[in-house]
Amino acid sequence: MENKSTNKKISREKEIVSLMIDLYHKGGENTLTMEEYLDIKEYSMERLDSCPFGEDKTFCSSCQVHCYDGDHREKIRLVMRHSAPRMLFYHPVMMLRHTLASLKRS
Ligand code: SF4
């Protein structure tokens, strides 16, 4: 059963992933159609809601299970490669808080 802390973590991760998808979609390297953009957003939110690790969740990028199917995994890989370094520039406080929280859990 999910507790309040897990919900908070998952909510924060959903916010971060959503921002990263937006950054990719607005950027010059974007290869997603509007339909694909909406789909990967919805899919990644669903995956986070169903994450089996809950409280012990790590970064999705370093997850050993990686619950994304092949097509969505390829798309989120493109998003992460583009947006991860840019998040430090656009949302430094959020990324610092997220990194510290993840380090505490490891
Ligand atoms: S990739 Fe791993 S950590 Fe991320 S939601 Fe799926 S199971 Fe959870």
Side-chain angles (χ1 to χ4, degrees), residues 8-60:
K8 197 172 159 191
K9 280 178 195 168
I10 296 292
S11 295
R12 200 181 301 127
E13 289 223 12
K14 285 166 87 170
E15 190 182 355
I16 290 170
V17 172
S18 184
L19 284 168
M20 291 175 96
I21 294 169
D22 288 347
L23 265 181
Y24 178 74
H25 194 240
K26 288 180 201 155
E29 296 171 31
N30 176 48
T31 57
L32 300 177
T33 64
M34 181 56 78
E35 193 179 337
E36 289 172 324
Y37 160 73
L38 294 172
D39 175 65
I40 190 68
K41 263 198 143 174
E42 188 181 340
Y43 184 85
S44 58
M45 300 302 112
E46 282 171 4
R47 293 293 81 206
L48 284 166
D49 278 333
S50 314
C51 180
F53 298 109
E55 188 72 22
D56 299 323
K57 189 186 174 308
T58 180
F59 286 117
C60 289

Side-chain angles (χ1 to χ4, degrees), residues 6 12 24 26 30 40 45 47 61-62 69 75 82 87-88 95-96 98-101 105-106:
T6 301
R12 200 181 301 127
Y24 178 74
K26 288 180 201 155
N30 176 48
I40 190 68
M45 300 302 112
R47 293 293 81 206
S61 55
S62 46
D69 66 30
K75 286 180 179 135
H82 173 89
M87 286 294 283
L88 282 172
M95 292 311 289
L96 183 63
H98 178 64
T99 304
L100 289 174
R105 292 198 297 271
S106 61

Side-chain angles (χ1 to χ4, degrees), residues 50-103:
S50 314
C51 180
F53 298 109
E55 188 72 22
D56 299 323
K57 189 186 174 308
T58 180
F59 286 117
C60 289
S61 55
S62 46
C63 176
Q64 296 301 307
V65 172
H66 216 297
C67 60
Y68 284 54
D69 66 30
D71 180 54
H72 289 100
R73 191 183 303 195
E74 181 57 29
K75 286 180 179 135
I76 203 71
R77 208 171 54 78
L78 290 172
V79 167
M80 294 296 157
R81 195 191 306 150
H82 173 89
S83 300
R86 288 165 176 83
M87 286 294 283
L88 282 172
F89 179 74
Y90 288 109
H91 305 283
V93 176
M94 179 188 279
M95 292 311 289
L96 183 63
R97 205 182 305 136
H98 178 64
T99 304
L100 289 174
S102 297
L103 286 175

